[in-house]
């Protein structure tokens, strides 16, 4: 009905891709017809294994249209857990994107290649499928206390009931824009997926990398003028930490776990309407909720939502008086069918409802402790069992304990949730070893084979025996608090011994929310990440008046090392080549040209986890404004640093984005000097940048003529860059095939001017509109960088510096093999024309595709990137030339 009302309204946006309601419906119809051909009908289970994208939304709608129920498979899950879910759910058809198909565990399901062309030839008409409201909408798998996850079967009736209720509560309309950040394997994603489409609103889908970054989320909210967002408390903390100030024409919801009072108070005054919502997966997303208006009011979970009933009962199933604690039971139209393949557990937790007037009605035993308040709201008070929630994920501690005890040297294990400040909570494992206590890294590796990352404890405490209560049960209250900030066992704890170390320790404690920090502890092992690292540098600069380079963190991310740098005489010169992994003696190192100007290449630390530990790795920091103005100059500056580490080949090199262009120039120079380069990997960059030099110059001239500075110049060039590349790739595919790349570059220069002339022929007003147009979301761009924040000013200056250097670079002929690593969602770098240009540069080109967008390659796709690199470097070793540095 909504498609008929607003066929041309945008239904979904993800990255640079958008679909109208008609396009979304027609594409989903084509896929639904394909599922029908494969036997999918009412009652069928269809698996979905894709990264977050527009195609994710198409697939979900197609599954519902076909009559089936969807079984979401998170791409971050280990293979063992994936195999269990596929087998247990009875998936008959599994939809997967092409680059992920090879990662699927062996199963009997029919695979549908989402990137294939077969289904796209099907009819665009709505399929006619008979389906009951009692058929499944989806099966969501949550943590199980027995050591394996359990699947919650949610019928269409329950999902529609919740959506219709929240449609009335939220009062969303066609002008709203909803930001979807939750993985589809988390039940609250159902609101982001379906609710906007019921009212004609637009859903903006954040990638996995964007959803994990406060800076990226803040940018998405501003860029798309988001009006509604629902998220867990952890995400709201992330947004506020990134400097988000909120806005009054904004409605938000917090759910998934209990919200701290401090956060609730902040949200209540930062947005127009703030909802606090509660509900187990077994009662379909949310069962209670309330609008929080008074920051000093007790934060409750509100009242029952549409067609739900909540009872606070004692052990005899008798209602508790107002103010008295009992167990929360939930009944009504939101109840799930039960648990997949677990009838006994279903009978145990879905019990007869003694208060219902309808025969056979049931209620769900939530395991949550609660009490009714005098005003009619419900207050959540904790759990009756070992279930906890972290960042909205429901975790059965017994499942982690069961997996830990499968380790051959673990006799007994217990896992508890330790609370930190501001809702920052961490899992801690207490282990009784059978012999020598396994190392922390060994236990983490063992757990990661079966459990997702959010279920891996951050600390492991060795115990001779677990404390017991008088009746013989484990006394969890008597377990000692772990020293999560301590170094590895065997190393004495070290406290600050100077004012500088004390100040740094205070900064770390506040950022990492730790009671104390050992000065020799690793920042990243304590839970630090790139966002916190950037925040730490800001705090250090404010406190000490000096900003340490990120290479200091690479060398040794400890308070002791940072303090040594801060109290030095200022003569420190940041090395271009920083060792981040020493590796085995004699092994040839990998040189990483990270090209990440704002993040400092911190993703490379995660990349190490997926490479051979014996491989030495060096990061080459990029040049900054004020350094060499050309790619050739940057390469000439880096060569001595590389040879200082490794005087002679064979060399292994990897470059990301603009760092890939510098790596190409360095490798070309080494080969010209007679040094072998066994591996050159280039991540998501185009060989045709020099062809856009004239465009950069003309844009600079036009923006200067209008009185604009670097910010508008860079914004305009980026707007025109990819259309220009597509013009070069598609409009004249057969022209200009000269034998040398220099000839191609001359042709590209002429073609660039042709493009500018074509734009100019549309008139000054058209060109002026391109220059002065605002980005999506309507935010005004300042004429100069002077009015920007220091961080934005730095970003603009660095990007301007990079684009200027890259647009004037003409690659020399490279007499070796280039491994081109491209992103699946940004195929402009892998078009036939783009590949021809690379093959004009290099003697041989291998292409590897990693799932995700340009940023996703080094974030959500880091495991795939690491696996691909490990295979390529291993192949180089097999060639016999990279066995040692003396080879």
């Amino acid at each position: 009905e909504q498609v008929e009302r607003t066929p041309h309204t945008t239904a979904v946006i993800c990255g640079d891709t958008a679909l109208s309601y008609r396009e979304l419906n027609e594409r989903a119809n084509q896929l639904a017809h394909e599922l029908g051909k494969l036997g999918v009908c009412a009652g069928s289970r269809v698996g979905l294994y894709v990264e977050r994208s527009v195609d994710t939304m198409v697939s979900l709608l197609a599954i519902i249209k076909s009559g089936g129920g969807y079984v979401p498979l998170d791409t971050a899950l280990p293979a063992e857990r994936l195999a269990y879910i596929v087998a247990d759910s009875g998936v008959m058809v599994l939809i997967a994107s092409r680059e992920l198909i090879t990662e699927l565990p062996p199963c009997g399901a029919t695979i549908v290649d989402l990137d294939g062309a077969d289904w796209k030839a099907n009819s665009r008409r709505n399929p006619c499928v008979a389906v009951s409201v009692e058929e499944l909408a989806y099966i969501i798998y949550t943590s199980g206390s027995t050591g394996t996850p359990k699947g919650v079967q949610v019928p269409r009736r329950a999902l529609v009931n919740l959506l219709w209720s929240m449609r009335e509560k939220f009062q969303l309309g066609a002008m709203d824009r909803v930001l979807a950040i939750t993985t589809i394997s988390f039940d609250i994603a159902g609101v982001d997926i379906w609710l906007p489409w019921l009212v004609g609103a637009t859903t903006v889908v954040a990638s996995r990398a964007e959803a994990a970054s406060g800076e990226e989320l803040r940018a998405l909210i501003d860029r798309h003028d988001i009006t509604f967002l629902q998220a867990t408390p952890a995400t709201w903390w992330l947004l506020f930490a990134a400097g988000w100030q909120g806005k009054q024409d904004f409605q938000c919801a917090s759910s998934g776990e209990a919200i701290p009072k401090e956060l609730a108070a902040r949200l209540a005054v930062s947005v127009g309407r703030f909802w606090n919502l509660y509900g187990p997966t077994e009662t379909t997303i949310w069962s209670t909720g309330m609008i929080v208006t008074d920051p000093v009011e007790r934060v409750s979970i509100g009242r029952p939502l549409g067609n739900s009933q909540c009872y606070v009962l004692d052990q005899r199933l008798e209602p508790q008086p107002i103010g008295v604690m009992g167990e929360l039971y939930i009944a009504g139209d939101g109840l799930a069918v039960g648990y997949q393949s677990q009838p006994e557990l279903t009978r145990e937790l879905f019990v007869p409802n003694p208060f219902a007037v309808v025969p056979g009605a049931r209620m769900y035993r939530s395991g949550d402790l609660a009490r009714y308040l005098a005003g009619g709201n419900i207050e959540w008070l904790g759990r009756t069992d070992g279930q906890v929630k972290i960042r909205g994920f429901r975790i059965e501690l017994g499942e982690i304990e069961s997996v830990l005890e499968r380790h051959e040297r673990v006799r007994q294990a217990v896992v508890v949730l330790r609370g930190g400040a501001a809702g920052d909570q961490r899992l801690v494992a207490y282990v009784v070893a059978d012999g020598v206590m396994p190392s922390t890294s060994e236990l983490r590796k063992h757990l990661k084979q079966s459990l997702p990352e959010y279920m891996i404890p951050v600390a492991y405490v060795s115990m001779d025996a677990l404390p017991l209560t008088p009746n013989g049960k484990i006394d969890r209250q008597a377990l000692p608090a772990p020293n999560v900030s301590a170094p590895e066992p065997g190393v004495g704890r070290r406290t600050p011994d100077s004012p500088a170390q004390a100040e740094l320790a205070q900064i770390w404690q506040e950022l990492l929310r730790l009671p104390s920090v050992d000065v020799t502890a690793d920042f990243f092992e304590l839970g630090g990440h790139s966002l916190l690292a950037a925040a730490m540098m800001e705090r250090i600069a404010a406190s000490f008046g000096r900003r340490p380079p990120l290479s200091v963190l690479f060398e040794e991310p400890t308070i002791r090392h940072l303090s040594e740098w801060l109290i030095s005489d200022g003569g420190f010169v940041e090395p271009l080549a920083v060792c981040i992994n020493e590796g085995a003696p004699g092994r040839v190192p990998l040189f990483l040209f990270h090209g990440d100007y704002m993040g400092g290449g911190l993703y490379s630390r995660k990349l190490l986890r997926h490479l051979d530990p014996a491989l030495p790795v060096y990061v080459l920091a990029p040049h900054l404004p004020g350094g060499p103005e050309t790619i050739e100059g940057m390469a000439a500056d880096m060569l001595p640093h590389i040879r200082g580490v490794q005087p002679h080949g064979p060399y292994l090199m990897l470059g990301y984005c603009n760092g890939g262009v510098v790596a190409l120039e360095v490798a070309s120079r080494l080969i010209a000097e007679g040094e072998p380069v066994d591996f050159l990997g280039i991540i998501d960059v185009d060989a045709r940048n020099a062809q856009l030099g004239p465009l950069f110059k003309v844009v600079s001239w036009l923006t200067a003529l209008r009185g604009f500075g670097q910010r508008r110049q860079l914004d305009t060039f980026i707007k025109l860059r990819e259309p220009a590349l597509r013009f070069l790739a598609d409009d004249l595919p057969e022209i200009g095939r000269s034998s040398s790349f220099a000839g191609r570059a001359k042709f590209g220069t002429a073609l660039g001017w042709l493009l500018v002339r074509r734009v100019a022929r549309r008139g000054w007003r058209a060109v002026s509109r391109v220059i002065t147009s605002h980005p999506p979301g309507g935010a005004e761009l300042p004429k100069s960088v002077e009015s920007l924040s220091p961080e934005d000013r730095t970003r603009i200056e660095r990007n301007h510096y990079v684009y200027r250097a890259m647009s004037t670079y003409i690659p020399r002929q490279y007499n070796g093999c280039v491994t081109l690593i491209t992103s699946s969602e940004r195929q402009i770098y892998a078009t036939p024309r783009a590949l021809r240009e690379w093959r004009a540069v290099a003697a041989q080109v291998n292409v590897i595709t990693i799932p995700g967008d340009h940023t996703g390659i080094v974030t959500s796709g880091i495991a795939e990137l690491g696996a691909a690199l490990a295979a390529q470097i291993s192949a180089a070793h097999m060639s016999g030339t990279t066995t040692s540095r003396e080879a």
Side-chain angles (χ1 to χ4, degrees):
E1 292 173 358
Q2 189 60 48
V3 171
E4 293 174 358
R5 284 194 294 267
T6 57
H8 304 296
T9 299
T10 301
V12 59
I13 300 171
C14 185
D16 297 329
T17 306
L19 294 180
S20 68
Y21 272 86
R22 184 174 65 185
E23 291 169 332
L24 169 67
N25 190 55
E26 289 179 348
R27 195 179 294 189
N29 288 341
Q30 290 176 309
L31 184 54
H33 285 301
E34 186 70 18
L35 295 176
K37 293 177 184 178
L38 297 174
V40 175
C41 58
S44 301
R45 285 83 186 276
V46 181
L48 183 59
Y49 189 63
V50 294
E51 286 292 352
R52 296 167 59 79
S53 65
V54 165
D55 284 337
T56 305
M57 311 299 271
V58 170
S59 301
L60 289 166
L61 184 54
I63 295 170
I64 291 295
K65 281 174 170 284
S66 71
Y70 59 89
V71 181
L73 303 170
D74 196 323
T75 57
L77 292 179
E80 181 180 317
R81 199 175 186 87
L82 281 175
Y84 174 84
I85 293 174
V86 171
D88 183 69
S89 62
V91 163
M92 62 174 295
V93 175
L94 203 160
I95 302 172
S97 50
R98 180 170 298 168
E99 66 271 12
L100 294 177
I101 289 177
T102 56
E103 297 181 10
L104 285 169
C107 64
T110 302
I111 307 297
V112 175
D113 181 358
L114 195 54
D115 301 309
D118 294 344
W119 64 271
K120 296 175 183 177
N122 291 333
S123 169
R124 299 174 184 267
R125 294 186 176 183
N126 292 320
C128 184
V129 178
V131 62
S132 164
V133 294
E134 299 302 328
E135 296 292 351
L136 290 184
Y138 57 77
I139 301 178
I140 294 283
Y141 276 80
T142 67
S143 180
S145 59
T146 60
T148 54
K150 55 180 182 285
V152 181
Q153 303 168 312
V154 175
R156 295 170 181 240
R157 161 189 48 78
L159 180 58
V160 170
N161 174 73
L162 183 278
L163 292 172
W164 222 252
S165 173
M166 300 321 296
R167 174 184 178 178
E168 177 184 345
K169 298 289 185 184
F170 291 152
Q171 298 178 2
L172 296 181
M175 300 305 293
D176 281 292
R177 289 194 163 210
V178 177
L179 181 57
I181 66 171
T182 310
T183 172
I184 59 172
S185 61
F186 194 3
D187 67 332
I188 61 174
V191 175
D192 298 335
I193 297 163
W194 307 111
L195 185 55
W197 294 344
L198 293 181
V199 298
T202 299
T203 301
V204 179
V205 181
S207 68
R208 187 186 294 269
E210 289 170 332
S213 167
E215 293 284 352
E216 295 283 355
L217 285 180
R218 187 184 69 172
L220 281 175
I221 290 172
D222 293 339
R223 186 183 314 138
H224 295 285
D225 195 19
I226 297 300
T227 61
F228 179 85
L229 171 62
Q230 60 100 3
T232 64
T235 298
W236 292 119
W237 280 123
L238 193 67
L239 262 172
F240 281 127
W244 186 65
Q245 299 298 317
K247 54 181 184 175
Q248 290 307 307
D249 60 340
F250 190 84
Q251 184 175 196
C252 73
S254 177
S255 65
E257 60 184 318
I259 185 169
K261 184 177 179 180
E262 176 189 349
L263 177 58
R266 191 166 181 180
L267 279 170
V269 298
S270 299
V271 302
R273 284 212 302 176
F274 160 49
W275 289 83
N276 188 41
L277 296 157
Y278 158 88
T281 303
E282 288 84 349
T283 60
T284 310
I285 307 178
W286 296 322
S287 300
T288 71
M290 66 174 292
I291 297 177
V292 181
T293 56
D294 186 354
V296 299
E297 179 185 342
R298 174 189 284 131
V299 181
S300 77
I301 59 175
R303 301 168 181 250
L305 298 173
N307 300 316
S308 292
Q309 299 88 46
C310 294
Y311 310 103
V312 177
L313 308 178
D314 62 15
Q315 293 182 349
R316 296 171 297 176
L317 300 187
E318 293 291 336
Q320 294 284 58
I322 290 174
V324 178
M325 182 176 67
E327 185 171 357
L328 183 62
Y329 288 74
I330 304 171
D333 289 347
L335 255 63
V337 175
Y339 297 109
Q340 174 72 26
S341 307
Q342 298 192 51
E344 292 184 5
L345 185 61
T346 299
R347 286 192 294 269
E348 178 185 345
L349 297 183
F350 290 85
V351 299
N353 183 358
F355 311 102
V357 296
V358 179
R362 302 174 305 155
M363 58 183 183
Y364 171 66
R365 182 180 181 181
S366 70
D368 287 319
L369 295 172
R371 64 180 176 183
Y372 266 102
L373 303 177
N377 288 329
I378 301 170
E379 183 180 15
W380 182 85
L381 299 172
R383 291 289 301 176
T384 63
D385 55 18
Q387 185 187 112
V388 299
K389 282 195 173 184
I390 296 181
R391 299 189 300 279
F393 291 103
R394 195 166 89 180
I395 299 171
E396 295 282 357
L397 298 178
E399 182 175 3
I400 307 173
E401 294 165 356
S402 176
V403 177
L404 268 174
E405 289 173 355
R406 294 179 202 165
H407 191 285
E408 58 183 5
R409 297 210 310 276
V410 173
R411 183 187 310 162
Q412 193 176 10
V414 63
V415 178
V416 300
L417 182 68
R418 290 281 180 177
D424 181 22
Q425 298 177 308
R426 303 168 181 228
L427 292 172
V428 178
Y430 296 83
V431 176
V432 178
D434 190 1
V436 179
M437 172 72 177
S439 67
T440 295
S441 59
E442 188 177 350
L443 289 174
R444 286 179 61 85
K445 183 178 180 181
H446 169 74
L447 289 172
K448 283 183 176 181
Q449 294 175 1
S450 305
L451 301 177
E453 182 67 34
Y454 63 83
M455 293 181 69
I456 308 297
V458 299
Y460 300 81
V461 180
S462 177
M463 304 282 289
D464 294 330
L466 296 176
L468 301 177
T469 62
N471 60 4
K473 295 183 178 180
I474 295 174
D475 188 353
R476 294 173 183 266
Q477 301 299 320
L479 292 168
N483 183 6
V484 296
S485 60
E488 282 291 317
V491 180
R493 177 179 176 79
R494 300 187 181 182
T495 57
D497 59 9
S498 70
Q501 289 188 4
E503 180 69 18
L504 288 171
Q506 183 65 30
I507 292 173
W508 281 34
Q509 287 168 213
E510 292 175 5
L511 287 174
L512 299 171
R513 297 171 185 162
L514 295 173
S516 62
V517 180
D518 189 288
V519 298
T520 62
D522 186 297
F523 178 79
F524 298 99
E525 291 297 325
L526 296 180
H529 48 73
S530 58
L531 181 63
L532 285 178
M536 176 180 65
M537 293 304 186
E538 294 296 327
R539 295 280 298 274
I540 291 174
S543 297
F544 293 89
R546 297 181 66 191
R547 183 190 302 274
L550 284 165
S551 61
V552 175
L553 276 185
F554 278 128
E555 291 170 344
E556 187 183 324
T558 66
I559 288 174
R560 181 176 61 185
H561 187 62
L562 277 170
S563 67
E564 290 173 354
W565 184 87
L566 287 167
I567 63 177
S568 65
D569 60 5
F572 176 85
V573 177
E574 182 178 6
L576 279 180
V578 180
C579 180
I580 63 171
N581 188 52
E582 292 185 1
R587 283 285 299 270
V588 172
L590 171 67
F591 291 97
L592 172 59
F593 299 71
H594 70 71
D596 173 14
Y597 281 74
M598 297 308 293
L602 291 174
Y603 62 83
S604 58
R605 294 185 65 89
K606 292 184 179 179
L607 182 61
L608 288 178
R609 302 173 188 171
H610 306 283
L611 298 177
D612 184 355
L615 176 69
V617 180
Y618 286 79
V619 170
L620 289 149
H623 290 85
L624 301 178
E629 296 292 329
T630 64
I631 298 296
E632 292 87 347
M634 295 176 188
D637 198 27
M638 285 185 172
L639 265 172
H641 296 271
I642 294 171
R643 290 201 142 170
V645 174
Q646 183 185 356
H648 300 289
Y651 290 95
L652 306 174
M653 298 184 179
L654 176 70
Y656 171 51
C657 191
N658 47 280
V661 179
V662 180
L664 173 65
E665 177 64 20
V666 169
S668 299
R669 291 178 177 230
L670 286 170
I671 285 185
E673 295 173 9
E675 297 288 355
V677 177
D678 278 5
F679 174 71
L680 173 60
I682 297 179
I683 302 175
D684 227 34
V685 71
D686 206 293
R688 299 167 292 169
N689 288 287
Q691 297 178 6
L692 300 182
L695 178 63
F696 190 86
K697 292 177 182 177
V698 171
V699 167
S700 301
W701 175 72
L702 291 175
T703 49
L705 195 63
R706 289 298 306 272
F708 292 108
Q710 285 184 350
R711 171 70 180 267
R712 193 60 63 98
Q713 177 183 339
L714 185 63
D715 178 67
T716 305
F717 177 71
I718 291 173
K719 285 179 186 174
L720 296 176
R721 181 173 177 267
E722 290 204 3
L725 287 175
R726 290 192 179 95
F727 176 82
L728 293 172
D730 302 328
D731 284 17
L732 297 171
E734 300 299 327
I735 303 178
R737 294 192 179 182
S738 59
S739 57
S740 68
F741 189 80
R744 289 168 178 263
K746 290 179 182 178
F747 167 73
T749 300
L751 194 55
W753 278 111
L754 179 63
L755 174 67
V756 174
R757 288 174 58 192
R758 177 177 288 193
V759 173
R761 278 200 299 270
R762 298 180 181 177
W764 168 254
R765 290 184 179 178
V767 177
S768 180
R769 280 197 300 271
V770 172
I771 295 172
T772 58
S773 62
H774 300 165
E780 175 64 50
L781 288 177
K783 283 192 173 185
S784 72
V785 297
E786 300 305 320
S787 59
L788 298 174
S789 67
E791 294 79 7
D792 286 342
R793 188 183 310 170
T794 299
R795 183 180 294 108
I796 293 298
E797 290 173 349
R798 290 180 177 179
N799 285 340
H800 186 274
Y801 171 76
V802 170
Y803 277 114
R804 183 173 58 194
M806 292 179 66
S807 65
T808 58
Y809 173 63
I810 299 178
R812 66 177 75 193
Q813 189 68 34
Y814 179 67
N815 296 320
C817 176
V818 167
T819 297
L820 181 62
I821 303 169
T822 65
S823 56
S824 62
E825 296 178 16
R826 193 183 174 107
Q827 286 298 305
I828 189 167
Y829 294 154
T831 62
R833 179 60 184 247
L835 294 179
R836 284 203 300 271
E837 297 295 353
W838 271 114
R839 291 180 178 121
V841 174
Q844 181 182 348
V845 179
N846 295 330
V847 180
I848 297 173
T849 301
I850 301 296
D853 55 15
H854 181 69
T855 304
I857 287 183
V858 294
T859 52
S860 59
I862 198 76
E864 292 84 353
L865 175 62
L869 288 176
Q872 293 290 321
I873 293 172
S874 176
H877 278 286
M878 292 297 291
S879 69
T881 59
T882 61
T883 307
S884 70
R885 299 183 187 181
E886 293 75 26

